[in-house]
Amino acid sequence: MSSILTGITTSGTPHLGNYIGAIKPSLIKIKKAKRSFLFLADYHSLIKQQEPELTHRSSLEIASAWLACGLNPKKTFFYRQSRVPQIMELNWILSNTTSKGLLNRAHAYKAAVDLNQEKKIKDLDKGISAGTFNYPILMAADILIFDAEIVPVGSDQKQHIEMTRDIALRFNHIYGETFKIPEAHISRDIPLLSGTDGRKMSKSYKNYIELFANEKELQKAINKIVTDSLLPGEPKKTKDSVLFNYFKAFSSKEFLLEVEKMFLDGKGWGDLKKELFTLVNKELKIYREKYYHYLDNSNEVEKILIEGENKVSSIAEKKLSEIRKKVGIRALDEK
Ligand code: TRP
């Protein structure tokens, strides 16, 4: 596999949904790639919220989670977006070849406009930041500066990758062949892990399970997963069961068959939840200690990121100097 890149917005504490949907599958993909880039999208974080301590803390937590789960920074470029200023410079350059109309069509922006419309607010752009509007350009810069070919993302990000392709093609058309056209990889085989109430797992719904909650908290959070009110002894359906979905995300094929039988045989919800706790805890236990080690030793994480940033900065600078020349920004005595 070729060159692969993905970013994580640093605006929250890693939860089980992030682990199942992003961390675990990406670490497998990265192993097969020729070259891999994984970065903390800390400037994207400012689009979502304006709590400085949250952005800062989340950067440490997310970096620690990836390292704890086995990311090898010797084999993968691991860095913060904010420490590669060439990305921001490319962001501006691309802003001038990207049409405003393209951005008008972005789902996230449109959703915000629709919300204003629903609320019957006259100014449809009320409360929408320029950052929200420009979001897809920064994402394109993240990807294009490193000539990434494959971008594994969740299905909610699919449109952003399509926009990145449009942005790259347009630039290439105006200034000549410069960027590779990346492809999105959307994992369909990974079951989306829903929140404890069955809706999308999200911080705003308060229905998420922290990835590295301690054992007691983990059991408590699992106990909150919604079920119907069938009693022990009564057979339970696996279809549309939120709890069964969790089993699906963490079980081997063989164990899942056993779980199915437990449902069918009418094991009580309480016992099933204990079973799920054991399963999830077994997988996360080995990483949990490492995670807390990194949280307590943020200087180690900082050092690892700086090493990554030193490596990618020279790649980014090389690419950007080529781009600057193409648009006419170069030394005055340079032909
Ligand atoms: N916007 C992505 C998200 O919220 C994160 C992200 C930023 C990203 N830049 C990227 C993902 C570049 C892939 C490639 O999930």
Side-chain angles (χ1 to χ4, degrees):
M1 221 204 252
S2 17
S3 173
I4 150 172
L5 172 145
T6 199
I8 311 105
T9 306
T10 56
S11 53
T13 296
H15 56 55
L16 280 189
N18 301 137
Y19 175 73
I20 290 297
I23 301 181
K24 205 172 164 184
S26 292
L27 286 175
I28 295 171
K29 276 206 182 120
I30 279 173
K31 280 216 178 101
K32 296 187 204 145
K34 198 174 77 206
R35 202 147 99 130
S36 54
F37 298 83
L38 194 114
F39 70 97
L40 307 175
D42 47 359
Y43 272 141
H44 271 109
S45 162
L46 305 194
I47 298 174
K48 300 205 175 166
Q49 46 76 36
Q50 276 97 35
E51 291 173 53
E53 280 317 309
L54 175 61
T55 297
H56 183 250
R57 179 73 187 169
S58 170
S59 300
L60 174 63
E61 288 176 348
I62 292 178
S64 301
W66 282 84
L67 290 169
C69 293
L71 177 86
N72 180 350
K74 297 233 165 358
K75 296 205 171 132
T76 295
F77 295 116
F78 189 44
Y79 56 97
R80 282 162 288 199
Q81 177 188 43
S82 61
R83 298 297 178 101
V84 189
Q86 290 87 353
I87 295 172
M88 299 315 294
E89 200 172 327
L90 179 58
N91 177 64
W92 174 251
I93 297 174
L94 294 176
S95 297
N96 299 288
T97 51
T98 304
S99 69
K100 177 173 172 291
L102 180 81
L103 302 177
N104 283 341
R105 292 190 285 277
H107 296 325
Y109 170 65
K110 267 185 14 196
V113 169
D114 288 350
L115 201 68
N116 279 340
Q117 201 151 26
E118 258 172 50
K119 290 192 199 151
K120 304 215 174 348
I121 294 172
K122 261 213 192 105
D123 173 8
L124 291 181
D125 279 323
K126 189 165 188 239
I128 304 174
S129 69
T132 301
F133 189 69
N134 291 323
Y135 180 120
I137 305 184
L138 180 55
M139 194 154 152
D142 290 331
I143 298 169
L144 299 177
I145 195 128
F146 293 118
D147 288 311
E149 292 159 295
I150 286 161
V151 188
V153 282
S155 53
D156 60 321
Q157 296 294 317
K158 188 168 168 243
Q159 189 200 27
H160 288 144
I161 311 301
E162 281 159 11
M163 289 185 154
T164 299
R165 292 165 63 91
D166 287 344
I167 291 170
L169 284 167
R170 176 119 184 100
F171 187 97
N172 285 353
H173 178 72
I174 298 173
Y175 292 111
E177 212 49 43
T178 308
F179 295 122
K180 282 209 170 128
I181 311 302
E183 235 175 77
H185 263 206
I186 298 170
S187 331
R188 270 173 245 286
D189 44 343
I190 297 156
L192 209 63
L193 199 65
S194 50
T196 49
D197 59 358
R199 290 190 289 174
K200 181 183 172 202
M201 191 180 283
S202 152
K203 211 184 138 208
S204 40
Y205 294 152
K206 294 203 173 72
N207 63 358
Y208 64 97
I209 300 182
E210 255 187 48
L211 175 54
F212 292 119
N214 65 39
E215 297 192 354
K216 236 175 149 177
E217 289 162 350
L218 180 63
Q219 179 72 71
K220 236 171 105 185
I222 286 178
N223 287 344
K224 283 199 193 136
I225 298 175
V226 284
T227 59
D228 55 30
S229 47
L230 290 174
L231 298 173
E234 296 182 290
K236 296 168 179 68
K237 278 198 207 121
T238 52
K239 194 172 170 275
D240 299 329
S241 157
V242 180
L243 194 71
F244 188 71
N245 245 332
Y246 275 78
F247 277 112
K248 230 160 126 184
F250 283 92
S251 298
S252 63
K253 274 199 189 107
E254 298 75 39
F255 187 64
L256 196 63
L257 287 175
E258 278 180 46
V259 174
E260 250 175 83
K261 198 168 168 319
M262 293 177 203
F263 270 65
L264 211 71
D265 289 351
K267 201 174 176 113
W269 289 124
D271 286 342
L272 284 168
K273 285 177 175 176
K274 275 194 200 127
E275 201 70 62
L276 178 67
F277 166 79
T278 307
L279 179 72
V280 175
N281 193 47
K282 197 170 76 194
E283 179 156 341
L284 298 181
K285 210 174 173 167
I286 37 167
Y287 305 142
R288 196 183 286 128
E289 244 170 65
K290 283 191 203 154
Y291 175 73
Y292 283 103
H293 169 85
Y294 283 125
L295 285 193
D296 290 341
N297 296 276
S298 51
N299 58 326
E300 280 180 33
V301 184
E302 181 67 26
K303 197 166 150 254
I304 291 171
L305 286 168
I306 289 176
E307 275 171 25
E309 285 147 9
N310 288 339
K311 285 186 257 178
V312 290
S313 285
S314 60
I315 304 174
E317 185 50 36
K318 194 160 162 259
K319 185 79 188 174
L320 190 66
S321 63
E322 178 199 330
I323 298 164
R324 282 195 207 100
K325 275 185 200 150
K326 288 205 171 166
V327 303
I329 307 285
R330 61 176 188 274
L332 296 184
D333 57 354
E334 197 180 320
K335 279 286 169 233

